Amino acid sequence: MKFEEFTHIGEKSPGKTTLMCEDRLFCHENLFAVIDGATSTTGTLIEKLTDGAYIAEFFKKSLNNYVNSQLDAHDIMVEINKKFGEHLKTQHPEIHALEKNGPTASGVIVKIHSDNTYSFAQVGDCMLVESQTGKLNELTIDSRYVDDHDYLHIAQKISKQKGLGILEVREYPEVINAIVAHRLKSNVEKGVLNGDLAMDNFICHDRRPLKNVSELILMSDGMAHPEYELKDTYIEAAKHMLEKSIYHYYKTLKAILDADCDWKNLKYLRGKHIDDCTAVIAKF
């Protein structure tokens, strides 16, 4: 098995990168993952990392402990999530007290097993696509898509009312309140990694045969193809990555978004110019 890997920091506005990349990539021959930390609503830094970067880094480092484990991807995700909650409670109680407004992340984990099967576990909007010699099957669900667009539509409405760009109204109270309301759904209606044991109830997971699998494509939501609706966006992204390369797809994606810079009248609605972008292709 070989890996093709790619990760890139996002841009808050054209040419201006975000404070730091909050995506993390983990690759080992029998365990690989993409973790996407959520951008903070509080501006909290933990050990010089944004809270989104901190939780993503915690999960990445923790995965090293499971390379030789017999656990499947589901149980690995459950264990690390529990350990993160315990870690915050003991090491950063003030962050733990933020509860749903504290660090959160999406993630997808794949574990290869000795019986020629693989297991996967996913919450949030990191995605997994299986390829059987070009036949693509999306195995996960982007559970954050609708709520993300809810707050973006609020920002778009304010933008048009005030004649301002979406980036200029991104911090308006109405927009922040919508984001906070979205956060309050965490592990109540939608699953996220945040140390809350209720996350277990929202994990999308399965164990599948590796026979006939040619590639597994994992990606953060920053790789979603903007020209397609939810039902096709990740499949089209995966298709391009397989036909060309992850890097070629990223350059294509960036060119599309670079051409869409009228923030008062965006063709592709979004809250930053381009999100952190991460993907890995496991090739069998």
Side-chain angles (χ1 to χ4, degrees):
M1 181 173 61
K2 296 181 179 180
F3 289 110
E4 180 185 346
E5 307 169 33
F6 179 87
T7 190
H8 201 288
I9 190 170
E11 295 181 6
K12 185 173 183 179
S13 57
K16 183 180 180 181
T17 60
T18 56
L19 182 60
M20 63 187 68
C21 184
E22 296 177 321
D23 282 3
R24 293 296 186 273
L25 183 62
F26 180 88
C27 285
H28 185 274
E29 62 182 9
N30 69 355
L31 182 64
F32 37 101
V34 169
I35 308 296
D36 177 3
T39 301
S40 174
T41 57
T42 63
T44 302
L45 291 179
I46 311 172
E47 298 175 16
K48 298 182 179 180
L49 294 176
T50 63
D51 56 3
Y54 187 82
I55 185 172
E57 185 68 16
F58 183 94
F59 268 78
K60 177 182 178 178
K61 289 181 176 179
S62 297
L63 284 166
N64 283 299
N65 300 322
Y66 293 90
V67 167
N68 297 315
S69 171
Q70 299 302 307
L71 295 178
D72 65 11
H74 170 274
D75 291 349
I76 291 171
M77 179 173 279
V78 168
E79 276 203 7
I80 298 178
N81 185 66
K82 179 181 178 182
K83 289 177 180 178
F84 182 71
E86 294 168 348
H87 169 78
L88 283 188
K89 188 173 183 179
T90 58
Q91 302 301 314
H92 299 284
E94 74 287 358
I95 302 298
H96 186 264
L98 293 173
E99 298 182 337
K100 296 185 188 304
N101 288 315
T104 66
S106 298
V108 57
I109 300 172
V110 172
K111 180 70 184 292
I112 306 298
H113 301 282
S114 58
D115 61 354
N116 204 36
T117 65
Y118 73 94
S119 59
F120 72 86
Q122 178 260 9
V123 290
D125 53 19
C126 288
M127 301 295 286
L128 172 62
V129 176
E130 179 190 83
S131 173
Q132 296 192 13
T133 318
K135 181 182 179 181
L136 302 181
N137 183 15
E138 187 174 294
L139 300 179
T140 51
I141 299 170
D142 181 345
S143 63
R144 298 177 61 87
Y145 183 89
V146 173
D147 289 328
D148 284 346
H149 278 73
D150 282 349
Y151 91 76
L152 286 171
H153 282 116
I154 291 172
Q156 184 182 49
K157 181 178 179 181
I158 297 171
S159 169
K160 291 185 180 301
Q161 289 174 342
K162 297 188 176 292
L164 299 171
I166 282 184
L167 292 182
E168 297 175 277
V169 304
R170 176 68 170 71
E171 304 300 324
Y172 272 46
E174 301 96 315
V175 180
I176 295 298
N177 289 341
I179 296 172
V180 171
H182 177 21
R183 288 258 181 156
L184 292 177
K185 296 179 181 180
S186 298
N187 299 320
V188 177
E189 297 180 17
K190 309 288 176 68
V192 295
L193 305 170
N194 66 355
D196 182 354
L197 299 184
M199 182 276 301
D200 305 5
N201 300 321
F202 297 92
I203 299 175
C204 174
H205 63 100
D206 197 5
R207 187 157 175 163
R208 297 171 60 84
L210 272 171
K211 184 180 180 181
N212 299 323
V213 174
S214 52
E215 294 95 7
L216 292 172
I217 306 98
L218 292 69
M219 70 185 89
S220 63
D221 71 313
M223 286 293 199
H225 199 305
E227 294 178 340
Y228 294 88
E229 298 297 327
L230 177 59
K231 67 182 182 67
D232 297 315
T233 183
Y234 296 107
I235 291 290
E236 292 298 326
K239 186 185 300 182
H240 190 136
M241 292 177 198
L242 291 173
E243 290 176 353
K244 303 288 186 178
S245 70
I246 303 175
Y247 178 71
H248 188 280
Y249 173 69
Y250 170 77
K251 296 298 286 185
T252 301
L253 172 65
K254 190 173 188 310
I256 292 170
L257 297 178
D258 282 347
D260 184 34
C261 290
D262 181 357
W263 289 90
K264 296 179 182 179
N265 188 33
L266 286 176
K267 182 177 181 180
Y268 306 112
L269 187 60
R270 57 200 191 276
K272 61 184 77 168
H273 180 54
I274 186 167
D275 201 357
D276 296 336
C277 292
T278 300
V280 58
I281 302 175
K283 303 178 181 182
F284 299 91

